[in-house]
Amino acid sequence: MDYEYLPNRVIICIDMKAFFASVSCVIRRLDPLKTKLAVVGDTKRSGSVVLAATPLLKKEGIKTGSRLFEIPKRKDIHVVNPSMERYIKASNYISSLVLQYVAPEDFHAYSIDELFIDATASLHLFARTPEELAHKIINEIYRKTRLTATAGIGPNLLLAKVSLDHEAKNSPTGVAYWRYEDIPFKLWSIHPMKDFWGISSATERRLNRLGIHSIKELALSSVEMIRKEFGVLGEEIHQHANGIDFSRISDVYIPSSRSFGKSQILFRDYTNRKEVELLLLELLDDVCFRLRMHQVVAQTIHLSIGYSKQTGGGFSRQKKMGRASNLSQDIFPYCLTILHTFDSGMPIRSIGISLSNTSIEEEEKMSLFEDIDQRERAYALAKTIDDIRLRYGKNSVLRASSYLEHSTARYRNGLLGGHKA
């Protein structure tokens, strides 16, 4: 493979080590590297999932996905609830520190604890080498937050990410730099293949059926054969196996139409359909609120229902409405139509609603057969309620039904990112 004409930029992927657990340590004046601490979804539920654990606790076998009842009950182990508001503030502050080194268009937040920067244009202003710049950023983050970061560097986004995951995170220096000439020795040695970024267990099994059992074999295989099996995705994973990635941080993708949705895994099985209807309405209110905040209306509704673990199954159906809207009163009847048409009556454990086929609010078409004044009053009322909720919190204005025992709105409104704020 001739890499001479491929992108050769300075891409740095920065990851915060055990981010949730480390922030929880720092706010308690504990050293994340010397403390055994686990962040769990809810400390009052024994089956609650571990969201993060400090490195010392991971050495005892407790990691993300473990359960609360698996954590030994010892004085030297701290078990805490998540603090999503603090995590978000910490993430935003770290982003502000990193943005001192690159322009906004050369910055991409990959997740709350991981980000990419393209330092090609600004490297010479701060350091002589990419490694020096990475260490400078990592040291500043630690000095100002007491949080540890690691960094992977590469000539493109793929190699920066893979060098982070497969070397930097386990390196004493916390920094790794993979160049094109390292591909045969480092990239091709990743095993099993599902550990390679972008290859799932299912993809690995399909590749195995083609006689491909390593990243090297994938890289040296016929691209036509891979494309025939996987379509356009096949060409991409073949390029990735050769360390090739043409994507750029500055290439911003703006979708022509957005979708807005929300889902919920319920605390118990719901058999009473009137209770389920209330939960659907509460979710719909949240999604419509987001539509109005973005000043758009939607015309297609997608409803997903998951049944109890004991029965399994569920359904997922969508329906196009007669007119686009962002008002619950317009959309809710369509939700009920889908529910009553496809529901088998089994106990329900999860629900989800998404609204798509969006357009700008001002472009909504009025019907000749409706009361325009009444519709404008409905919009005005919705916007007034939105303003109150924005100013005083989501629980400041609620439906009367949200005070019923089976309602979940008040509890969900106290969450941030699905967890306790």
Side-chain angles (χ1 to χ4, degrees):
M1 184 69 66
D2 187 359
Y3 293 101
E4 183 179 354
Y5 301 103
L6 294 177
N8 193 12
R9 308 187 68 79
V10 180
I11 308 297
I12 305 177
C13 183
I14 299 172
D15 175 78
M16 302 308 302
K17 199 166 189 177
F19 182 62
F20 286 5
S22 295
V23 173
S24 293
C25 284
V26 170
I27 61 181
R28 289 169 174 78
R29 299 183 183 276
L30 300 171
D31 186 341
L33 299 180
K34 298 179 180 179
T35 304
K36 297 175 183 178
L37 180 144
V39 179
V40 300
D42 188 345
T43 56
K44 295 180 180 179
R45 298 171 61 202
S46 63
S48 190
V49 175
V50 174
L51 304 176
T54 54
L56 276 181
L57 190 56
K58 286 180 179 178
K59 289 182 178 179
E60 297 201 14
I62 303 300
K63 56 186 178 180
T64 302
S66 298
R67 299 285 181 167
L68 175 56
F69 61 76
E70 298 179 75
I71 302 175
K73 294 182 179 180
R74 302 202 315 252
K75 291 183 178 180
D76 64 325
I77 297 179
H78 303 262
V79 179
V80 302
N81 283 316
S83 304
M84 290 306 297
E85 187 174 5
R86 301 294 290 271
Y87 301 154
I88 292 173
K89 285 182 178 179
S91 178
N92 290 339
Y93 180 64
I94 290 167
S95 295
S96 71
L97 295 178
V98 177
L99 277 166
Q100 296 176 102
Y101 297 93
V102 293
E105 58 267 25
D106 291 325
F107 173 94
H108 173 68
Y110 186 64
S111 65
I112 192 172
D113 61 350
E114 195 168 328
L115 59 89
F116 286 91
I117 61 171
D118 185 342
T120 309
S122 58
L123 173 65
H124 70 284
L125 298 174
F126 306 101
R128 291 167 294 180
T129 66
E131 295 98 324
E132 183 183 341
L133 177 60
H135 281 294
K136 191 170 186 176
I137 294 173
I138 287 173
N139 291 338
E140 181 169 8
I141 291 173
Y142 181 78
R143 188 171 67 254
K144 293 187 176 179
T145 67
R146 286 297 180 263
L147 300 174
T148 302
T150 54
I153 311 168
N156 56 44
L157 285 119
L158 172 73
L159 289 178
K161 170 65 175 170
V162 176
S163 68
L164 169 77
D165 291 339
H166 292 275
E167 185 177 340
K169 289 183 178 181
N170 301 312
S171 169
T173 65
V175 174
Y177 191 178
W178 285 17
R179 301 166 177 82
Y180 285 123
E181 54 264 34
D182 295 317
I183 289 171
F185 313 102
K186 295 183 177 181
L187 189 71
W188 290 355
S189 66
I190 296 174
H191 187 80
M193 288 201 296
K194 64 181 177 63
D195 286 350
F196 182 66
W197 188 81
I199 295 182
S200 65
S201 298
T203 301
E204 182 178 24
R205 287 193 295 271
R206 291 173 67 182
L207 288 169
N208 291 164
R209 288 197 291 268
L210 295 175
I212 298 171
H213 297 86
S214 70
I215 301 300
K216 181 178 181 179
E217 290 178 358
L218 174 59
L220 300 179
S221 65
S222 164
V223 67
E224 288 77 16
M225 178 181 69
I226 305 299
R227 191 189 297 118
K228 184 178 180 180
E229 173 71 19
F230 294 96
V232 177
L233 175 63
E235 187 170 349
E236 183 177 271
I237 63 174
H238 185 269
Q239 287 183 344
H240 285 179
N242 282 287
I244 299 172
D245 182 8
F246 293 102
S247 55
R248 291 275 297 272
I249 293 176
S250 57
D251 293 337
V252 179
Y253 169 68
I254 302 176
S256 56
S257 178
R258 296 183 60 184
S259 64
F260 297 78
K262 193 157 191 175
S263 60
Q264 181 182 10
I265 298 175
L266 306 174
F267 288 126
R268 62 175 174 84
D269 293 342
Y270 279 71
T271 55
N272 185 319
R273 288 314 185 254
K274 287 298 180 183
E275 294 180 352
V276 173
E277 289 177 7
L278 171 59
L279 300 181
L280 286 174
L281 180 57
E282 291 177 340
L283 277 187
L284 181 61
D285 283 340
D286 283 346
V287 179
C288 286
F289 172 77
R290 291 171 55 201
L291 285 175
R292 292 191 294 271
M293 289 301 98
H294 287 82
Q295 298 182 329
V296 296
V297 289
Q299 195 164 6
T300 300
I301 177 170
H302 191 121
L303 177 64
S304 299
I305 295 292
Y307 294 130
S308 167
K309 288 182 179 180
Q310 281 68 36
T311 58
F315 65 87
S316 181
R317 294 290 188 277
Q318 69 177 36
K319 188 175 183 63
K320 187 174 182 179
M321 299 182 289
R323 60 171 299 160
S325 177
N326 55 21
L327 296 177
S328 298
Q329 66 193 56
D330 295 336
I331 303 172
F332 189 54
Y334 290 91
C335 292
L336 296 182
T337 298
I338 297 174
L339 177 66
H340 296 156
T341 301
F342 298 101
D343 181 25
S344 64
M346 299 292 184
I348 292 176
R349 195 55 182 259
S350 67
I351 56 178
I353 296 175
S354 68
L355 301 175
S356 59
N357 194 8
T358 56
S359 57
I360 300 173
E361 195 173 56
E362 285 77 9
E363 295 176 355
E364 181 191 3
K365 296 178 181 178
M366 292 293 183
S367 169
L368 295 174
F369 303 100
E370 68 180 335
D371 187 332
I372 304 300
D373 290 337
Q374 182 180 4
R375 188 154 191 84
E376 288 182 347
R377 287 195 296 271
Y379 269 110
L381 176 61
K383 292 293 179 68
T384 300
I385 293 175
D386 292 344
D387 289 342
I388 295 173
R389 298 181 78 199
L390 284 171
R391 185 171 181 179
Y392 297 105
K394 289 185 177 181
N395 280 333
S396 58
V397 180
L398 292 170
R399 294 179 182 272
S401 55
S402 293
Y403 287 92
L404 294 173
E405 184 179 352
H406 55 272
S407 167
T408 62
R410 286 180 295 159
Y411 172 77
R412 285 188 295 102
N413 289 340
L415 304 179
L416 191 58
H419 302 288
K420 294 182 179 180

